[in-house]
Amino acid sequence: MIVPAQPKCSVPSRHRPYHPPQRSRGSVGGSRPTCRVGLAARVPRGLAVGAGSTRPRTACRREVPRIVLEAVGLQPSEWRTYHVLMRLPTATAEELAERLGVGAAQISAALSALHRRGAVSRTPDDPRRWRAVPPDLAFGPELRRRQRDLTVVEEAVDRLSAEYRNQLALRGAGDLIEVVFGEAIAPRVQELQRKAGEEVCAIVKTPTFSLEARENQAERDGLAAGIAFRTIYPREVLGLPGDPFELAESVRMGEQARVVAETPLKLIMVDRSVAVVPVLPAESTEPSALLVYPSGLLDALVALFETMWATATPLLAASRHEVREAGGDAPSPQDLHLLSLLLAGLTDQAIAAQLGLSMRTVQRRVHGLIELAGVRTRLQLIWRAAHRDWL
């Protein structure tokens, strides 16, 4: 038997690592030893194409985001084909199919699609071999086209937004104000009060023609349910015989009532989201009311009410059938003396020692002054006392 000659190696044996003989895939009989010397003899994994290899060598299996594929206009198989071809100088469809582990027909279809898009080209010397066009040349035109399209879309959206804002500014009063006439006013007011979630604010002005106090069952139900009712009355209602507005009963039930010299308009406002402004047109005997929805006009009505409320005087229930204006009566000389000591910064204990009273008596008289002034805190009491020239 003739033993084949061993291949010669240029590296001395003492520097060569020992490797056992390896059989080439696809060889028949015998073994062919190989010589692996250093890193120069190693071929990067997945780049060598062996004629007899049957195991596919894949390059990149990471999924590409769909937005990238849509931006460059490629299918996943086309992207993978380009990605592998980009790493090689040239390759045939069969070589790419072997690397990707798919059929040659699928690679041929992907190459044809890439060729139509200008992403790959055939080599001049061998039409069966393909090379990848640089990515900026292959996909740059498509990306720039999409950027131009996106600019056109952005400009269209800007025009629509501008038109929307113009239409909103010119929107008819029907979208901001609703008009209710005659007998429909009272049920609508009752309905809005029953839907209140936090508070109902009102400004009373005589004469009333839509809803009498005794008919306002929604307020009684709301007070019982814990809804805050704040009402501003003109001072003239305090002198009306018979208490037609049932002020004493309302205050005892929990309504926060205040009085001013005169009120400019009638108003009912629910949760600051809708306001009812009763009006009487000059050329009509039928009453009507404006329902004002969220808008600049509603904001103005809210500001008007809060301004009037801050300067109005609270009403207190003096008896079962009477109310009195808080602060209407000046404090007694003893209370004024106590108030001056409080203004001087003395504690309740020091004031009690100064006046020869018990701590409990001092605190009770201070509370009486707070109630008389129609305020809630001692700091507000000092401010109201100065405002009313008590000091």
Side-chain angles (χ1 to χ4, degrees), residues 69-127:
L69 298 176
E70 293 177 353
V72 298
L74 295 182
Q75 297 297 323
S77 60
E78 298 168 0
W79 175 272
R80 288 192 293 269
T81 300
Y82 177 83
H83 198 185
V84 173
L85 183 59
M86 183 186 67
R87 297 184 171 190
L88 301 172
T90 62
T92 63
E94 291 75 13
E95 292 170 352
L96 294 174
E98 181 183 8
R99 290 178 176 277
L100 290 169
V102 297
Q106 181 178 348
I107 296 300
S108 297
L111 288 171
S112 299
L114 291 169
H115 183 61
R116 289 193 299 269
R117 294 182 178 274
V120 298
S121 62
R122 298 180 185 271
T123 58
D125 52 345
D126 187 355

Side-chain angles (χ1 to χ4, degrees), residues 42 58 61 105 116-117 120 125 260 293 307 311 315 325 361:
R42 296 184 182 180
T58 58
R61 290 292 185 181
R116 289 193 299 269
R117 294 182 178 274
V120 298
D125 52 345
V260 295
Y293 295 104
T307 300
T311 57
L315 292 177
E325 190 174 345
T361 301

Side-chain angles (χ1 to χ4, degrees), residues 185-187 189-190 193 204-220 233 240 242-247 250 255 266 268:
I185 299 177
V189 171
Q190 295 271 49
Q193 290 185 100
V204 175
K205 183 177 177 63
T206 57
T208 60
F209 51 80
S210 61
L211 186 65
E212 299 293 337
R214 61 179 179 274
E215 301 172 350
N216 194 4
Q217 183 61 37
E219 178 178 357
R220 298 183 180 89
Y233 295 92
L240 296 177
D243 191 12
F245 290 92
E246 299 183 353
L247 294 178
S250 298
E255 177 186 286
K266 303 178 180 71
I268 298 176

